[in-house]
mmCIF file of all heavy atoms in Angstrom:
data_model
loop_
_atom_site.group_PDB
_atom_site.id
_atom_site.type_symbol
_atom_site.label_atom_id
_atom_site.label_comp_id
_atom_site.label_asym_id
_atom_site.label_seq_id
_atom_site.Cartn_x
_atom_site.Cartn_y
_atom_site.Cartn_z
ATOM 1 N N GLU A 13 115.683 246.668 145.300
ATOM 2 C CA GLU A 13 115.510 246.841 143.828
ATOM 3 C C GLU A 13 114.175 246.181 143.415
ATOM 4 O O GLU A 13 113.474 246.712 142.566
ATOM 5 C CB GLU A 13 116.682 246.260 143.079
ATOM 6 C CG GLU A 13 117.909 247.103 143.018
ATOM 7 C CD GLU A 13 117.629 248.476 142.404
ATOM 8 O OE1 GLU A 13 117.007 248.530 141.334
ATOM 9 O OE2 GLU A 13 118.024 249.520 142.994
ATOM 10 N N GLU A 14 113.903 245.037 144.011
ATOM 11 C CA GLU A 14 112.640 244.303 143.677
ATOM 12 C C GLU A 14 111.449 245.153 144.100
ATOM 13 O O GLU A 14 110.444 245.259 143.337
ATOM 14 C CB GLU A 14 112.687 242.938 144.375
ATOM 15 C CG GLU A 14 111.614 242.008 143.901
ATOM 16 C CD GLU A 14 111.683 240.609 144.537
ATOM 17 O OE1 GLU A 14 112.626 240.342 145.280
ATOM 18 O OE2 GLU A 14 110.717 239.863 144.367
ATOM 19 N N LEU A 15 111.522 245.758 145.259
ATOM 20 C CA LEU A 15 110.428 246.588 145.767
ATOM 21 C C LEU A 15 110.287 247.815 144.900
ATOM 22 O O LEU A 15 109.154 248.243 144.495
ATOM 23 C CB LEU A 15 110.663 246.974 147.252
ATOM 24 C CG LEU A 15 109.627 247.928 147.853
ATOM 25 C CD1 LEU A 15 108.222 247.360 147.774
ATOM 26 C CD2 LEU A 15 109.985 248.233 149.280
ATOM 27 N N LYS A 16 111.407 248.437 144.575
ATOM 28 C CA LYS A 16 111.368 249.621 143.721
ATOM 29 C C LYS A 16 110.707 249.314 142.399
ATOM 30 O O LYS A 16 109.787 250.040 141.908
ATOM 31 C CB LYS A 16 112.816 250.091 143.463
ATOM 32 C CG LYS A 16 112.933 251.279 142.467
ATOM 33 C CD LYS A 16 114.412 251.613 142.254
ATOM 34 C CE LYS A 16 114.561 252.598 141.099
ATOM 35 N NZ LYS A 16 115.980 252.873 140.778
ATOM 36 N N GLN A 17 110.999 248.193 141.778
ATOM 37 C CA GLN A 17 110.427 247.792 140.497
ATOM 38 C C GLN A 17 108.969 247.460 140.644
ATOM 39 O O GLN A 17 108.131 247.847 139.754
ATOM 40 C CB GLN A 17 111.151 246.610 139.923
ATOM 41 C CG GLN A 17 110.837 246.327 138.437
ATOM 42 C CD GLN A 17 111.221 247.528 137.554
ATOM 43 O OE1 GLN A 17 112.299 248.022 137.625
ATOM 44 N NE2 GLN A 17 110.288 247.992 136.710
ATOM 45 N N ALA A 18 108.569 246.877 141.767
ATOM 46 C CA ALA A 18 107.110 246.596 141.971
ATOM 47 C C ALA A 18 106.298 247.880 142.058
ATOM 48 O O ALA A 18 105.190 247.952 141.528
ATOM 49 C CB ALA A 18 106.950 245.785 143.283
ATOM 50 N N ILE A 19 106.893 248.913 142.662
ATOM 51 C CA ILE A 19 106.199 250.203 142.758
ATOM 52 C C ILE A 19 106.118 250.854 141.406
ATOM 53 O O ILE A 19 105.029 251.297 140.979
ATOM 54 C CB ILE A 19 106.933 251.106 143.765
ATOM 55 C CG1 ILE A 19 106.794 250.564 145.177
ATOM 56 C CG2 ILE A 19 106.359 252.549 143.652
ATOM 57 C CD1 ILE A 19 107.669 251.249 146.200
ATOM 58 N N ILE A 20 107.200 250.822 140.657
ATOM 59 C CA ILE A 20 107.206 251.437 139.294
ATOM 60 C C ILE A 20 106.183 250.706 138.406
ATOM 61 O O ILE A 20 105.432 251.387 137.641
ATOM 62 C CB ILE A 20 108.609 251.301 138.664
ATOM 63 C CG1 ILE A 20 109.582 252.252 139.409
ATOM 64 C CG2 ILE A 20 108.559 251.708 137.173
ATOM 65 C CD1 ILE A 20 111.061 252.024 139.060
ATOM 66 N N ASP A 21 106.055 249.396 138.540
ATOM 67 C CA ASP A 21 105.133 248.600 137.762
ATOM 68 C C ASP A 21 103.689 248.714 138.291
ATOM 69 O O ASP A 21 102.796 248.105 137.671
ATOM 70 C CB ASP A 21 105.572 247.144 137.751
ATOM 71 C CG ASP A 21 106.870 246.909 137.005
ATOM 72 O OD1 ASP A 21 107.260 247.840 136.191
ATOM 73 O OD2 ASP A 21 107.537 245.857 137.236
ATOM 74 N N GLY A 22 103.504 249.344 139.429
ATOM 75 C CA GLY A 22 102.146 249.492 139.972
ATOM 76 C C GLY A 22 101.559 248.248 140.533
ATOM 77 O O GLY A 22 100.350 248.073 140.566
ATOM 78 N N LYS A 23 102.429 247.379 141.090
ATOM 79 C CA LYS A 23 101.972 246.089 141.635
ATOM 80 C C LYS A 23 101.847 246.246 143.163
ATOM 81 O O LYS A 23 102.731 245.802 143.891
ATOM 82 C CB LYS A 23 102.935 245.020 141.264
ATOM 83 C CG LYS A 23 102.984 244.736 139.761
ATOM 84 C CD LYS A 23 103.976 243.672 139.430
ATOM 85 C CE LYS A 23 104.017 243.346 137.911
ATOM 86 N NZ LYS A 23 105.071 242.366 137.576
ATOM 87 N N ALA A 24 100.692 246.811 143.604
ATOM 88 C CA ALA A 24 100.456 247.055 145.004
ATOM 89 C C ALA A 24 100.528 245.787 145.846
ATOM 90 O O ALA A 24 101.156 245.816 146.930
ATOM 91 C CB ALA A 24 99.137 247.791 145.217
ATOM 92 N N PRO A 25 99.896 244.672 145.481
ATOM 93 C CA PRO A 25 99.954 243.454 146.289
ATOM 94 C C PRO A 25 101.449 242.983 146.470
ATOM 95 O O PRO A 25 101.807 242.513 147.547
ATOM 96 C CB PRO A 25 99.107 242.467 145.554
ATOM 97 C CG PRO A 25 98.205 243.298 144.713
ATOM 98 C CD PRO A 25 98.986 244.464 144.318
ATOM 99 N N VAL A 26 102.209 243.083 145.411
ATOM 100 C CA VAL A 26 103.615 242.673 145.465
ATOM 101 C C VAL A 26 104.397 243.588 146.380
ATOM 102 O O VAL A 26 105.207 243.174 147.223
ATOM 103 C CB VAL A 26 104.243 242.620 144.077
ATOM 104 C CG1 VAL A 26 105.742 242.333 144.133
ATOM 105 C CG2 VAL A 26 103.541 241.653 143.185
ATOM 106 N N SER A 27 104.145 244.884 146.269
ATOM 107 C CA SER A 27 104.776 245.906 147.104
ATOM 108 C C SER A 27 104.484 245.602 148.559
ATOM 109 O O SER A 27 105.390 245.663 149.447
ATOM 110 C CB SER A 27 104.299 247.308 146.701
ATOM 111 O OG SER A 27 104.782 248.280 147.591
ATOM 112 N N ALA A 52 111.873 254.964 143.536
ATOM 113 C CA ALA A 52 110.826 254.445 142.641
ATOM 114 C C ALA A 52 109.967 255.599 142.074
ATOM 115 O O ALA A 52 109.728 255.692 140.850
ATOM 116 C CB ALA A 52 109.984 253.397 143.303
ATOM 117 N N MET A 53 109.508 256.451 142.977
ATOM 118 C CA MET A 53 108.611 257.520 142.554
ATOM 119 C C MET A 53 109.349 258.608 141.785
ATOM 120 O O MET A 53 108.781 259.282 140.927
ATOM 121 C CB MET A 53 107.854 258.086 143.762
ATOM 122 C CG MET A 53 106.844 257.114 144.377
ATOM 123 S SD MET A 53 105.705 256.365 143.154
ATOM 124 C CE MET A 53 104.714 257.729 142.681
ATOM 125 N N GLU A 55 111.656 257.844 139.630
ATOM 126 C CA GLU A 55 111.696 257.259 138.324
ATOM 127 C C GLU A 55 110.346 257.333 137.635
ATOM 128 O O GLU A 55 110.228 257.608 136.433
ATOM 129 C CB GLU A 55 112.122 255.758 138.393
ATOM 130 C CG GLU A 55 112.076 254.984 137.132
ATOM 131 C CD GLU A 55 112.952 255.514 135.979
ATOM 132 O OE1 GLU A 55 113.852 256.281 136.286
ATOM 133 O OE2 GLU A 55 112.693 255.071 134.845
ATOM 134 N N VAL A 56 109.272 257.173 138.422
ATOM 135 C CA VAL A 56 107.940 257.350 137.881
ATOM 136 C C VAL A 56 107.758 258.806 137.333
ATOM 137 O O VAL A 56 107.249 259.058 136.253
ATOM 138 C CB VAL A 56 106.854 257.028 138.889
ATOM 139 C CG1 VAL A 56 105.460 257.464 138.432
ATOM 140 C CG2 VAL A 56 106.816 255.538 139.204
ATOM 141 N N ARG A 59 109.599 259.227 134.066
ATOM 142 C CA ARG A 59 108.862 258.629 132.973
ATOM 143 C C ARG A 59 107.639 259.463 132.548
ATOM 144 O O ARG A 59 107.294 259.554 131.393
ATOM 145 C CB ARG A 59 108.449 257.202 133.323
ATOM 146 C CG ARG A 59 109.635 256.270 133.480
ATOM 147 C CD ARG A 59 109.221 254.778 133.690
ATOM 148 N NE ARG A 59 110.333 253.959 134.006
ATOM 149 C CZ ARG A 59 110.326 252.644 134.071
ATOM 150 N NH1 ARG A 59 109.185 251.987 133.783
ATOM 151 N NH2 ARG A 59 111.388 251.946 134.379
ATOM 152 N N PHE A 65 105.084 257.473 130.842
ATOM 153 C CA PHE A 65 104.001 257.125 131.728
ATOM 154 C C PHE A 65 103.013 258.274 131.631
ATOM 155 O O PHE A 65 103.326 259.429 131.396
ATOM 156 C CB PHE A 65 104.454 257.079 133.185
ATOM 157 C CG PHE A 65 104.945 255.739 133.629
ATOM 158 C CD1 PHE A 65 105.245 254.768 132.744
ATOM 159 C CD2 PHE A 65 105.091 255.481 134.994
ATOM 160 C CE1 PHE A 65 105.687 253.514 133.165
ATOM 161 C CE2 PHE A 65 105.566 254.248 135.448
ATOM 162 C CZ PHE A 65 105.869 253.205 134.524
ATOM 163 N N PRO A 68 97.198 257.232 134.358
ATOM 164 C CA PRO A 68 96.835 255.935 134.904
ATOM 165 C C PRO A 68 98.053 255.159 135.491
ATOM 166 O O PRO A 68 97.949 254.560 136.614
ATOM 167 C CB PRO A 68 96.266 255.128 133.744
ATOM 168 C CG PRO A 68 95.737 256.211 132.809
ATOM 169 C CD PRO A 68 96.701 257.318 132.929
ATOM 170 N N GLU A 69 99.171 255.211 134.803
ATOM 171 C CA GLU A 69 100.363 254.511 135.304
ATOM 172 C C GLU A 69 100.918 255.197 136.551
ATOM 173 O O GLU A 69 101.345 254.515 137.494
ATOM 174 C CB GLU A 69 101.503 254.525 134.250
ATOM 175 C CG GLU A 69 101.227 253.645 133.025
ATOM 176 C CD GLU A 69 100.478 254.348 131.911
ATOM 177 O OE1 GLU A 69 100.036 255.502 132.128
ATOM 178 O OE2 GLU A 69 100.370 253.796 130.842
ATOM 179 N N VAL A 70 100.868 256.539 136.571
ATOM 180 C CA VAL A 70 101.310 257.270 137.778
ATOM 181 C C VAL A 70 100.443 256.933 138.978
ATOM 182 O O VAL A 70 100.931 256.730 140.072
ATOM 183 C CB VAL A 70 101.342 258.763 137.525
ATOM 184 C CG1 VAL A 70 101.673 259.548 138.771
ATOM 185 C CG2 VAL A 70 102.341 259.110 136.414
ATOM 186 N N LEU A 71 99.132 256.871 138.777
ATOM 187 C CA LEU A 71 98.204 256.535 139.854
ATOM 188 C C LEU A 71 98.411 255.179 140.456
ATOM 189 O O LEU A 71 98.428 254.997 141.683
ATOM 190 C CB LEU A 71 96.753 256.683 139.369
ATOM 191 C CG LEU A 71 96.166 258.098 139.312
ATOM 192 C CD1 LEU A 71 94.844 258.097 138.620
ATOM 193 C CD2 LEU A 71 96.028 258.675 140.765
ATOM 194 N N ILE A 72 98.621 254.166 139.549
ATOM 195 C CA ILE A 72 98.784 252.813 140.092
ATOM 196 C C ILE A 72 100.147 252.672 140.768
ATOM 197 O O ILE A 72 100.313 251.939 141.741
ATOM 198 C CB ILE A 72 98.551 251.716 139.067
ATOM 199 C CG1 ILE A 72 99.529 251.766 137.887
ATOM 200 C CG2 ILE A 72 97.123 251.726 138.588
ATOM 201 C CD1 ILE A 72 99.472 250.577 136.975
ATOM 202 N N ALA A 73 101.173 253.393 140.317
ATOM 203 C CA ALA A 73 102.484 253.352 140.933
ATOM 204 C C ALA A 73 102.367 254.028 142.324
ATOM 205 O O ALA A 73 102.902 253.546 143.310
ATOM 206 C CB ALA A 73 103.513 254.089 140.092
ATOM 207 N N ALA A 74 101.655 255.118 142.424
ATOM 208 C CA ALA A 74 101.494 255.810 143.720
ATOM 209 C C ALA A 74 100.707 254.902 144.669
ATOM 210 O O ALA A 74 101.077 254.922 145.877
ATOM 211 C CB ALA A 74 100.763 257.135 143.498
ATOM 212 N N ARG A 75 99.774 254.153 144.205
ATOM 213 C CA ARG A 75 99.029 253.251 145.060
ATOM 214 C C ARG A 75 99.885 252.136 145.556
ATOM 215 O O ARG A 75 99.811 251.694 146.710
ATOM 216 C CB ARG A 75 97.800 252.713 144.362
ATOM 217 C CG ARG A 75 96.697 253.729 144.212
ATOM 218 C CD ARG A 75 95.521 253.227 143.379
ATOM 219 N NE ARG A 75 94.584 254.275 143.106
ATOM 220 C CZ ARG A 75 93.895 254.377 141.996
ATOM 221 N NH1 ARG A 75 94.052 253.518 140.996
ATOM 222 N NH2 ARG A 75 93.024 255.374 141.819
ATOM 223 N N ALA A 76 100.807 251.679 144.730
ATOM 224 C CA ALA A 76 101.746 250.614 145.100
ATOM 225 C C ALA A 76 102.730 251.158 146.147
ATOM 226 O O ALA A 76 103.066 250.478 147.118
ATOM 227 C CB ALA A 76 102.527 250.121 143.886
ATOM 228 N N ALA A 77 103.139 252.413 145.993
ATOM 229 C CA ALA A 77 104.024 253.037 146.991
ATOM 230 C C ALA A 77 103.292 253.184 148.309
ATOM 231 O O ALA A 77 103.828 252.943 149.406
ATOM 232 C CB ALA A 77 104.509 254.418 146.470
#
Side-chain angles (χ1 to χ4, degrees):
E13 280 301 312
E14 192 177 350
L15 176 57
K16 176 183 169 184
Q17 195 59 51
I19 292 170
I20 293 168
D21 294 340
K23 296 178 178 177
V26 176
S27 173
M53 293 309 292
E55 173 61 15
V56 169
R59 294 187 187 190
F65 272 16
E69 291 89 350
V70 174
L71 278 171
I72 62 170
R75 285 175 187 145

